[in-house]
Amino acid sequence: MAQYHVKNEGFLAKAFKVKGGHQVVPAGKSADVLDAKELTEAQIDAFARDKVKVIVKGKAKAEKPRDDDQPKSAAEVLDLADGNFMAFKAAASKVLGDDTPPTKDEIIAALKAKAEA
């Protein structure tokens, strides 16, 4: 569970998933959101576009994965297919290179062909 300080400078209230339900931060207000579901960088960026500042409290922001933490084989990348598409596509492009197809189904087919080869 994560902890955030939220400053909602937007015009709409924002809800955050927390242990046991939701916590709403009204428009124009600030609040500490404790025991929250962890947000991705993309979600934090989306809040920022809506004029909602989300600051991670407690621990430092998670480090971005280094290249040596990334999957190396086509089979390892296929395991990521059911998760975040952009992360899957980025990992696939490291394995497939410039020949990475644009759609998920085509990427999966290319990775399966590479894994069998």
Side-chain angles (χ1 to χ4, degrees), residues 2-6 16 31-40 44 54-57:
Q3 298 180 19
Y4 301 102
H5 178 75
V6 178
F16 294 84
D32 288 331
V33 179
L34 308 175
D35 290 329
K37 179 181 176 195
E38 291 197 29
L39 299 173
T40 64
I44 292 172
V54 178
I55 301 169
V56 179
K57 290 180 65 175

Side-chain angles (χ1 to χ4, degrees), residues 40-57:
T40 64
E41 286 295 320
Q43 290 171 317
I44 292 172
D45 291 343
F47 279 122
R49 287 190 296 274
D50 291 338
K51 297 184 180 180
V52 178
K53 295 180 183 175
V54 178
I55 301 169
V56 179
K57 290 180 65 175

Side-chain angles (χ1 to χ4, degrees), residues 2-30:
Q3 298 180 19
Y4 301 102
H5 178 75
V6 178
K7 185 174 183 181
N8 187 352
E9 296 174 341
F11 297 105
L12 299 172
K14 296 293 180 179
F16 294 84
K17 288 184 182 181
V18 296
K19 186 175 183 181
H22 292 85
Q23 180 176 342
V24 177
V25 179
K29 302 288 182 179
S30 295

Side-chain angles (χ1 to χ4, degrees), residues 27 34 68 70 75 78 91 102 117:
L34 308 175
D68 58 328
Q70 297 298 318
L78 281 169

